[in-house]
Amino acid sequence: MKLIVAIVQDQDAERTSKALTDAGYRITRVASTGGFFSVGNTTLLAGVEDHRVGALLGMLKETCERRTRLIPAGPNIVESAAMMGAFVEVEVGGATVFVLNVERFEQI
């Protein structure tokens, strides 16, 4: 048994959750915030049999898009945007996934 912890962007959370539940995975959604931009994201938790991990990871790759975003350039984002008006394009999105061994799993 494995515990999958997948952190996805809020934009992808609904589509990803639906795809996983439609495929028979039982998931728990937790609202979370983090990363460089301190933007909202969703953490998905799923207990999965070892042989189903690859399929779940494949679904995450299909539903969690990488995209680009413009952010203010410079060490202090707020001051840089106001003073220089310079922006840089960065890649965001996808999913951060942790696959953990589970010693015991029960549904009560």
Side-chain angles (χ1 to χ4, degrees):
M1 234 15 226
K2 302 290 186 204
L3 171 63
I4 307 295
V5 179
I7 303 161
V8 303
Q9 283 196 324
D10 279 344
Q11 294 169 260
D12 299 324
E14 188 62 36
R15 175 180 56 236
T16 302
S17 296
K18 182 172 178 6
L20 293 173
T21 55
D22 286 351
Y25 294 99
R26 296 180 62 168
I27 62 168
T28 299
R29 289 176 58 159
V30 180
S32 51
T33 304
F36 182 70
F37 306 111
S38 294
V39 295
N41 49 46
T42 299
T43 300
L44 304 174
L45 306 171
V48 180
E49 296 88 358
D50 290 353
H51 69 276
R52 295 187 73 197
V53 171
L56 187 144
L57 293 176
M59 294 181 81
L60 289 172
K61 287 178 184 177
E62 290 176 17
T63 59
C64 298
E65 298 179 23
R66 297 201 60 80
R67 50 187 67 83
T68 58
R69 180 173 173 185
L70 290 175
I71 63 163
N76 184 328
I77 291 174
V78 175
E79 288 178 15
S80 295
M83 297 173 73
M84 297 187 301
F87 290 85
V88 294
E89 188 174 60
V90 296
E91 190 174 79
V92 297
T96 301
V97 183
F98 300 90
V99 180
L100 308 166
N101 289 322
V102 174
E103 187 174 317
R104 183 174 172 172
F105 173 77
E106 293 184 30
Q107 290 181 311
I108 300 174

